[in-house]
Amino acid sequence: MRRTIHALALVLAAAWMPTTLQAAAPPAPPVAAADIAAGKSLFDRWCAECHAPGHGHPGTQQLERLRGAKLAELESRPDLTAALIRYVVRNGQNAMPAYRPSEISDAGLEQISRYLGRNQPPAKPRRR
Ligand code: HEC
């Protein structure tokens, strides 16, 4: 009887193990197209004046000086993380003013970050 129980336990463990070990990290939630569109219109309202492509836009010009032509235009940068965008928008950076939540809400800032972060490669799954 004991043996049978042991054998049964082994069989159960064998059946259980592979699926647990192979369990993949949950896929990142897809960024909703609506959020991207909302982020784009907030960007146009609050940021484009300084960060639209081309000269005559102080943000774009200053970033070209600081980071080079490839990283001058926020909308085509592949390296902007949501954390960096949040930090700069809430605190300002040199000539760039800070924005309060009464101007750009947290939800709005999140949408701007998603819009600007859409070119980022997907994050690597975390190891536990
Ligand atoms: C009045 C002009 C102006 C406005 C409006 C503006 N910015 Fe800026 N922004 C700048 C300037 C100038 C810089 C470069 C600052 C420096 O010298 O480091 C900058 C830098 C940044 C950076 C840092 C990039 C880097 O590589 O360091 C981010 C991110 C950024 N802006 C995001 C935004 C977002 C998002 C908005 C809209 C919510 C916005 N900015 C609105 C002028 C502006």
Side-chain angles (χ1 to χ4, degrees):
M1 183 63 192
R2 229 186 181 164
R3 278 211 164 147
T4 331
I5 289 172
H6 275 169
L8 196 64
L10 277 179
V11 168
L12 285 177
W16 173 78
M17 286 269 287
T19 43
T20 340
L21 291 178
Q22 287 164 13
V31 176
D35 261 359
I36 300 263
K40 162 81 177 143
S41 67
L42 284 170
F43 181 89
D44 287 346
R45 171 163 175 215
W46 292 98
C47 325
E49 162 196 355
C50 292
H51 285 290
H55 284 222
H57 301 288
T60 307
Q61 263 178 264
Q62 180 61 6
L63 289 176
E64 184 176 347
R65 271 184 228 122
L66 287 174
R67 315 238 181 266
K70 276 192 188 156
L71 302 180
E73 295 171 11
L74 292 186
E75 288 175 277
S76 51
R77 277 173 69 157
D79 64 325
L80 291 175
T81 62
L84 176 87
I85 294 161
R86 264 197 308 272
Y87 184 84
V88 173
V89 171
R90 286 288 181 241
N91 297 282
Q93 183 172 298
N94 297 321
M96 176 174 157
Y99 293 87
R100 292 181 294 259
S102 56
E103 296 165 303
I104 302 174
S105 68
D106 284 339
L109 185 49
E110 188 59 33
Q111 289 170 329
I112 293 175
S113 303
R114 289 205 184 152
Y115 170 61
L116 292 179
R118 73 198 183 290
N119 299 322
Q120 264 209 305
K124 286 188 190 155
R126 278 214 191 145
R127 287 185 183 268
R128 285 168 206 261

